[in-house]
Amino acid sequence: MENRSFDHILGWLKRTRPDIDGLSGGEFNRVNASDPTSPAVSVSDDAFFVDSDPGHSIQAIREQIFGCNDSSANPAPMSGFVQQAESMGVDGLSKTVMSGFKPELLPVYAELANEFAVLDRWFASVPASTQPNRFYVHSATSHGASSNVRKDLIHGFPQKTIFDSLDENGLSFGIYYQNIPATLFFQSLRKLKHITKFHDYKLKFKLHAKMGQLPNYVVIEQRYFDVDLFPANDDHPSHDVALGQRFVKEVYETLRASPQWEEMALLITYDEHGGFYDHVPTPVSGCPIQMGSSALTRIISSLIGSVCEYPHS
């Protein structure tokens, strides 16, 4: 999924789940992060439909995390979200980035969080936009990319991926796509031998799951943009999160009904925080590279008997 922080989606679940490191209601950012007398904008639970797309370039994220260009503070103050939003000149954006959803507005996520594992210390791999973080998921590197550069994406990225490792070791994989498979930004997946690894989600996912024929490793790609009667369901602003809820529910119920269910784990994660506030300090020491802000991630599996959390760092 795309561009939502942990606090924005599940932060207010802390009201009924105090074991989750979510929002207390006292968190705030100032309009000027370096001025303690500057007006404050507090977190709120009134997120609904987010029309504007908050800043999430590498420059914007540095400002959000540190409140300035100096990234040496440890712990990171997470003090510049409002300041950065104000700099974009969009009415109401500073309040939007500090808002979160009431759990009852996201019933699928709330229920999955209550029944399975929710990770409250899962950070984006790099403080950058979508594709660099997606590259890390599949290849443990962005190959130097820090933004979505069209010509580079078209040319393709040459690094070794998890798909290559699976193939080398005789394990199967499959990519179920809805619009376009963004995994084709990797050059190795453009090889003719992998053409049968790509499947139309609508035509094949439920069928393969029902027949117990899902491969060892599956990537399900969201619908990234609106096409005719099929609106995007990836949660990227300004896409409706209700459609993302419906999509996640469909995937979960399909897998739950599969004869392979007892042997699988479903990982639902967001590529990055999308410019939305999160109170948990981004790690700045003990990391080979600067990480991004906290992004929502859950693990769903019959092997997980109770709710657990990612260990606090």
Side-chain angles (χ1 to χ4, degrees):
M1 306 298 281
E2 293 208 72
N3 291 49
R4 306 278 179 163
S5 72
F6 184 95
D7 280 347
H8 179 62
I9 295 291
L10 280 187
W12 291 106
L13 192 61
K14 185 179 177 69
R15 286 170 170 165
T16 56
R17 285 285 309 283
D19 56 320
I20 289 177
D21 191 359
L23 295 169
S24 68
E27 299 85 357
F28 65 89
N29 269 193
R30 296 193 180 278
V31 172
N32 184 335
S34 61
D35 181 1
T37 66
S38 177
V41 179
S42 297
V43 294
S44 64
D45 64 356
D46 56 358
F48 188 64
F49 179 79
V50 177
D51 188 33
S52 301
D53 189 14
H56 49 281
S57 66
I58 194 167
Q59 296 85 0
I61 296 171
R62 181 173 60 243
E63 183 176 0
Q64 290 160 3
I65 292 174
F66 296 101
C68 60
N69 287 325
D70 181 359
S71 58
S72 62
N74 188 10
M78 312 304 286
S79 60
F81 288 84
V82 168
Q83 175 179 285
Q84 196 282 321
E86 287 283 321
S87 73
M88 296 181 68
V90 178
D91 288 345
L93 186 59
S94 57
K95 186 177 186 303
T96 296
V97 300
M98 298 298 288
S99 69
F101 288 91
K102 291 184 175 73
E104 54 265 33
L105 291 182
L106 302 175
V108 176
Y109 284 172
E111 186 64 20
L112 290 177
N114 283 327
E115 294 298 325
F116 298 101
V118 57
L119 311 185
D120 57 10
R121 285 294 192 279
W122 184 288
F123 298 92
S125 299
V126 286
S129 52
T130 292
Q131 296 307 331
N133 279 292
R134 286 180 175 266
F135 291 160
Y136 262 93
V137 168
H138 300 305
S139 66
T141 178
S142 68
H143 199 70
S146 60
S147 61
N148 306 328
V149 180
R150 181 180 175 85
K151 67 178 180 63
D152 293 340
L153 296 175
I154 292 173
H155 180 264
F157 283 74
Q159 65 262 41
K160 184 175 181 177
T161 70
I162 188 172
F163 307 106
D164 299 313
S165 295
L166 289 165
D167 189 53
E168 289 172 1
N169 288 277
L171 297 172
S172 59
F173 68 86
I175 297 162
Y176 296 80
Y177 63 92
Q178 297 179 71
N179 279 146
I180 57 170
T183 40
L184 282 177
F185 291 140
F186 293 112
Q187 291 177 0
S188 65
L189 286 180
R190 299 176 182 180
K191 295 177 180 178
L192 187 60
K193 70 174 183 176
H194 291 320
I195 192 171
T196 59
K197 308 295 176 59
F198 290 86
H199 310 283
D200 183 289
Y201 170 83
K202 186 176 181 180
L203 296 178
K204 295 296 180 69
F205 177 64
K206 288 184 179 180
L207 176 64
H208 289 177
K210 182 178 181 179
M211 297 176 66
Q213 294 181 355
L214 290 172
N216 296 119
Y217 183 75
V218 169
V219 172
I220 302 175
E221 300 212 38
Q222 311 92 61
R223 196 157 48 240
Y224 300 115
F225 46 85
D226 300 334
V227 177
D228 296 330
L229 300 177
F230 301 99
N233 58 11
D234 62 350
D235 278 1
H236 191 301
S238 59
H239 302 154
D240 190 348
V241 295
L243 299 174
Q245 293 282 282
R246 186 182 303 168
F247 169 56
V248 170
K249 181 175 185 288
E250 179 180 85
V251 170
Y252 167 71
E253 290 181 343
T254 297
L255 296 177
R256 187 70 186 248
S258 171
Q260 295 171 284
W261 169 249
E262 298 295 332
E263 303 172 329
M264 69 172 66
L266 169 63
L267 181 73
I268 304 171
T269 189
Y270 284 71
D271 50 12
E272 36 109 350
H273 75 302
F276 292 97
Y277 174 76
D278 197 275
H279 77 284
V280 177
T282 295
V284 295
S285 61
C287 304
I289 60 170
Q290 174 65 59
M291 302 179 79
S293 188
S294 181
L296 178 61
T297 299
R298 286 136 296 168
I299 299 176
I300 298 161
S301 173
S302 63
L303 304 175
I304 299 175
S306 61
V307 178
C308 62
E309 290 188 305
Y310 188 78
H312 291 195
S313 56

